[in-house]
Amino acid sequence: MGGMSDPSDVTVSDNPDKRRYEASVDSGVVAGFAEYRLRDGVIVFTHTEVDMAFEGQGIGSTLVREALDDARERGLEVRPLCPFFKSYIERHREYAELVTS
């Protein structure tokens, strides 16, 4: 496979102190993160970044999916200011119900 890490090796966790979801690879390195603001039951995703060394491995999509799943479990409405979240939700309509204007 030439050193490609399988997206299943990615662990996504909420880091409330930094107000972001972090995607870590098996070595514990944070490969990407999604920043958010949380207010009155609405989670606003403002910025997503994946380290260039890890681009093209599906980490961004895994990060967005897990963050949205977590928001759903917590009963939060989602405001995707970040273009990456916006386009992911447009491609995966099962998340559209979470979006608030």
Side-chain angles (χ1 to χ4, degrees):
M1 286 284 288
M4 289 282 280
S5 69
D6 179 348
S8 66
D9 295 339
V10 177
T11 307
V12 176
S13 52
D14 185 8
N15 183 339
D17 292 340
K18 290 190 174 173
R19 293 200 298 276
R20 66 187 200 174
Y21 284 90
E22 295 175 341
S24 308
V25 289
D26 45 14
S27 57
V29 174
V30 174
F33 58 84
E35 296 177 342
Y36 63 81
R37 295 196 305 268
L38 190 55
R39 192 167 50 240
D40 303 328
V42 177
I43 188 162
V44 184
F45 289 104
T46 54
H47 178 69
T48 305
E49 211 170 282
V50 174
D51 190 308
M52 281 170 72
F54 297 98
E55 277 185 355
Q57 297 180 24
I59 288 173
S61 297
T62 302
L63 178 57
V64 171
R65 187 181 67 244
E66 300 260 342
L68 290 171
D69 285 347
D70 192 50
R72 174 182 275 146
E73 274 177 37
R74 292 163 65 185
L76 298 170
E77 293 185 304
V78 171
R79 188 170 298 147
L81 293 187
C82 166
F84 198 83
F85 270 82
K86 211 172 270 181
S87 67
Y88 185 91
I89 292 167
E90 280 165 10
R91 291 195 312 274
H92 302 86
R93 299 307 296 169
E94 66 272 23
Y95 293 107
E97 67 189 29
L98 300 177
V99 175
T100 180
S101 51

